[in-house]
Amino acid sequence: MKNRVTVTIAGQEYTLVGTEEASYTEKVAAHVDAKVEEVLSGAHVSLVDGAILAAVNIADEYFKEVEAAENLRRQLKEYLEEATKMKLELSEAKREIFKLQNKK
């Protein structure tokens, strides 16, 4: 079901349509609004230029987060591989202990 949500970004009202909950759409719009306002307050640029610079900043954050998530996935994979290796070593050590105990 499509939801229509009216939000304000940089003093302008926009009606956004999507399948997400209204609260999610409002949260996204508030983030964009904050980023645009951050750019506009820090530089003397037009609203259009401010929106473009805010979009560049948001894209930068996105790509950095994607890279961080990929690094975490890679690290998790390495930990799981190491845990699997340790389990095999433990299992082998237990077999060896069992053999040594039964030689007596």
Side-chain angles (χ1 to χ4, degrees):
M1 180 167 96
K2 299 271 184 181
N3 293 319
R4 297 174 67 82
V5 180
T6 301
V7 299
T8 303
I9 299 173
Q12 307 254 350
E13 280 195 358
Y14 298 91
T15 299
L16 305 177
V17 179
T19 56
E20 294 80 9
E21 294 291 323
S23 61
Y24 175 79
T25 303
E26 290 165 353
K27 180 172 131 179
V28 169
H31 181 71
V32 172
D33 183 52
K35 290 297 181 179
V36 171
E37 292 299 332
E38 182 181 305
V39 170
L40 291 176
S41 70
H44 298 292
V45 296
S46 70
L47 180 58
V48 172
D49 288 343
I52 296 297
L53 291 171
V56 169
N57 289 341
I58 291 169
D60 176 53
E61 290 172 354
Y62 168 76
F63 285 115
K64 286 177 179 173
E65 291 299 325
V66 166
E67 185 177 341
E70 184 56 39
N71 287 339
L72 286 172
R73 276 191 282 281
R74 190 172 24 259
Q75 191 175 25
L76 181 59
K77 182 180 176 194
E78 289 172 7
Y79 289 154
L80 290 172
E81 288 170 354
E82 183 68 20
T84 300
K85 181 181 170 187
M86 291 294 129
K87 280 174 118 175
L88 290 172
E89 288 180 18
L90 177 61
S91 186
E92 181 61 35
K94 284 181 179 179
R95 277 194 293 277
E96 189 65 31
I97 289 169
F98 182 75
K99 281 185 204 175
L100 291 171
Q101 287 176 339
N102 288 329
K103 279 189 175 182
K104 294 179 182 179

